[in-house]
Amino acid sequence: MSPNGSDRSPRRPMRRKLLQAMTAGLVLATATGCTYKDFPRLGMPTPTTEEAPRILSLWQGSWAAALAVGVLVWGLIIWSAIFHRRSRTKIEVPAQTRYNMPIEALYTVVPLIIVSVLFYFTARDETKLLSLTDKKPDVTVNVVGFQWSWGFNYITPVDGVTGDAKTDKNLDAIPDRFKKDFPAAAGGVYDVGTPGTKNPQTGNPGPTLWLPKGETVRFVLTSRDVIHSFWVVPFLMKMDVIPGHTNAFQVTPNQEGTFLGKCAELCGVDHSRMLFNVKVVSPERYQQHLKDLAKKGQTGYIPAGIAQTSHEKNRETNNL
């Protein structure tokens, strides 16, 4: 019985609040709109390239490591709160431990081990994902970012189109180390969008980049003005598009469909309108699309972007 004569335990309100908090957490966990099949991806979309599962695995591993650390920390907090709470009958100050070398060594070494393991797997996967020497591309696309849309130079031979991507003045901003893998006599075609462009099939805003299923695609990224970021959401891969510096990566799409892409770098007032679509089709349909662009007169290449600075050229020359 409490001092005021009531049989009500003072701990009951706390238990009730704890129950309410747990109920709220359960509602938040189950009201996200995700099915049980989505939970293993931990918020990531379904991968649509051969390389994306490696990225997903790194994401899941990082979450597992973070959850393990969180459970340990939460467990220690709860243990301390329960077993070191103030006694109701004793008022003396408990024994104080000022220094504990094993504990101090533990909380210094364990974080270093965690960071080292995460660094190893990140460096391993990044090296694999960014390698351009493991396999030559079947298709090369120069992605041109500009305020406030995207242009796509399809660097490939097209029937009836003359020219050579290796010597085309519009592609001078691309270093020779990328041009050496360009196909010979690639007259090429292009497509370019505006913020008001829409995909005719889906109505989604932005121009549409076409890619062939099952073929390795190399993206050569250049910018005309400021830093952008090329992100195809279900590819689980994005990379900065930097003026005066050329980036590149390659993927192999393995699922047909139309997917969303966007600029993932705050690039100015209309950054939110820098959207695009990626349409993955059969190789035959892809070749037909290139011919359709040629029939529209969209032959050759649009300007790739800002030429590289001398410092950047020297760095790349030394790394050849």
Side-chain angles (χ1 to χ4, degrees):
M1 182 177 291
S2 60
N4 59 4
S6 173
D7 291 334
R8 185 178 180 181
S9 171
R11 294 189 179 184
R12 288 184 180 177
M14 181 61 68
R15 292 175 181 174
R16 187 180 298 111
K17 291 180 180 178
L18 180 60
L19 181 60
Q20 292 172 348
M22 293 176 63
T23 303
L26 181 62
V27 170
L28 289 175
T30 57
T32 58
C34 298
T35 67
Y36 72 93
K37 294 181 180 180
D38 296 323
F39 279 109
R41 295 198 306 274
L42 299 170
M44 283 285 193
T46 302
T48 58
T49 68
E50 293 182 3
E51 295 76 14
R54 179 182 291 271
I55 302 174
L56 179 60
S57 177
L58 181 63
W59 171 257
Q60 292 169 324
S62 300
W63 265 94
L67 183 60
V69 173
V71 169
L72 174 63
V73 173
W74 298 329
L76 291 174
I77 292 174
I78 295 173
W79 181 84
S80 298
I82 293 176
F83 290 97
H84 293 284
R85 67 187 187 279
R86 181 179 178 181
S87 173
R88 292 185 174 185
T89 58
K90 299 179 181 179
I91 60 173
E92 68 271 11
V93 177
Q96 303 295 300
T97 303
R98 298 184 180 276
Y99 301 101
N100 189 312
M101 292 305 296
I103 293 297
E104 293 183 10
L106 180 67
Y107 66 62
T108 301
V109 173
V110 169
L112 290 176
I113 294 175
I114 294 173
V115 172
S116 299
V117 172
L118 291 175
F119 177 84
Y120 166 76
F121 285 106
T122 301
R124 182 200 65 180
D125 291 343
E126 182 180 1
T127 300
K128 183 67 175 179
L129 291 166
L130 298 184
S131 175
L132 302 179
T133 59
D134 291 348
K135 184 179 180 181
K136 284 195 174 183
D138 301 307
V139 174
T140 300
V141 180
N142 170 217
V143 177
V144 183
F146 58 90
Q147 296 171 319
W148 309 97
S149 194
W150 301 89
F152 307 115
N153 286 322
Y154 296 92
I155 302 175
T156 184
V158 180
D159 292 341
V161 180
T162 60
D164 189 351
K166 294 183 179 181
T167 58
D168 193 293
K169 295 297 183 183
N170 286 322
L171 303 181
D172 280 348
I174 299 176
D176 292 338
R177 65 190 180 99
F178 295 112
K179 290 183 177 180
K180 66 182 178 64
D181 290 330
F182 286 1
V189 292
Y190 71 87
D191 196 5
V192 64
T194 67
T197 305
K198 291 187 177 182
N199 181 282
Q201 283 79 37
T202 64
N204 293 329
T208 300
L209 168 63
W210 288 57
L211 300 176
K213 176 185 175 182
E215 296 188 6
T216 300
V217 181
R218 177 175 296 179
F219 298 112
V220 180
L221 311 177
T222 54
S223 171
R224 291 185 187 173
D225 36 53
V226 299
I227 297 177
H228 303 282
S229 185
F230 180 71
W231 181 24
V232 184
V233 177
F235 286 8
L236 310 189
M237 180 76 176
K238 61 182 176 181
M239 183 172 284
D240 281 352
V241 185
I242 304 174
H245 172 79
T246 302
N247 281 329
F249 70 96
Q250 55 193 43
V251 297
T252 305
N254 58 11
Q255 181 177 325
E256 292 189 16
T258 302
F259 310 108
L260 298 179
K262 60 181 71 178
C263 176
E265 183 81 25
L266 181 59
C267 55
V269 64
D270 279 339
H271 159 72
S272 62
R273 302 180 69 191
M274 282 199 64
L275 306 173
F276 63 96
N277 305 277
V278 175
K279 188 177 182 68
V280 179
V281 296
S282 66
E284 296 77 19
R285 185 69 185 88
Y286 171 75
Q287 292 298 327
Q288 183 59 49
H289 176 67
L290 299 184
K291 294 177 182 178
D292 293 342
L293 290 177
K295 290 179 181 179
K296 294 178 182 178
Q298 295 173 220
T299 59
Y301 303 105
I302 61 173
I306 297 175
Q308 292 195 329
T309 60
S310 298
H311 173 77
E312 185 61 22
K313 286 182 178 178
N314 293 336
R315 185 193 71 81
E316 294 188 344
T317 301
N318 293 333
N319 288 338
L320 292 177

